[in-house]
Amino acid sequence: QVQLVESGGGLVQAGGSLRLSCAASGRTFNRDIMAWFRQAPGKEREFVAAIGRNGVTTAYTDSVKGRFTVSRDNVKNTVYLQMNSLNPEDTAVYYCAAGDTWGTSSYLRSPGNMYYWGKGTLVTVSS
């Protein structure tokens, strides 16, 4: 079992920044691929970013490329999402997830292929 706890969400003005953290416990953290998903009101959960076990391989959805950066600290068992130049379309509940297979682009981006989830942290961007 893996327990994931997100933190760092909040209210920010457009153009601002937030840093989300996800603390993992329960098993060897560096065994897992870590990812961030988000879900806006009335919309499906969507992939945001992922990072491989070694912290080098990363992937992003197109809408956040150049603005968001995913990173991990395998000593602290924590994954981060640095979000810059936020806009109101980024408003959502952000979820941390763990998986075991990087796979294809579509595989990685499917929420059903992640097997552990946090409870989420709300990010609200005002215009």
Side-chain angles (χ1 to χ4, degrees), residues 19-123:
R19 188 194 196 201
L20 305 184
S21 298
C22 172
S25 62
R27 66 181 237 169
T28 306
F29 177 69
N30 61 9
R31 292 174 56 183
D32 296 309
I33 293 163
M34 301 301 297
W36 289 94
F37 288 75
R38 66 186 179 186
Q39 188 165 16
K43 295 187 177 181
E44 294 185 352
R45 192 169 297 189
E46 66 169 352
F47 172 83
V48 177
I51 188 165
R53 296 175 178 87
N54 60 8
V56 175
T57 304
T58 59
Y60 299 90
T61 193
D62 286 347
S63 63
V64 308
K65 284 180 180 177
R67 300 188 299 123
F68 291 11
T69 303
V70 61
S71 61
R72 67 190 294 165
D73 186 332
N74 286 345
V75 174
K76 295 182 177 179
N77 289 357
T78 302
V79 62
Y80 305 96
L81 185 68
Q82 177 67 43
M83 305 186 296
N84 299 328
S85 301
L86 285 161
N87 58 62
E89 290 71 37
D90 296 316
T91 295
V93 176
Y94 283 72
Y95 297 92
C96 175
D100 64 359
T101 303
W102 191 266
T104 63
S105 175
S106 59
Y107 183 94
L108 180 65
R109 286 158 170 74
S110 174
N113 294 325
M114 297 292 162
Y115 46 66
Y116 294 114
W117 291 86
K119 294 183 178 181
T121 184
L122 177 63
V123 172

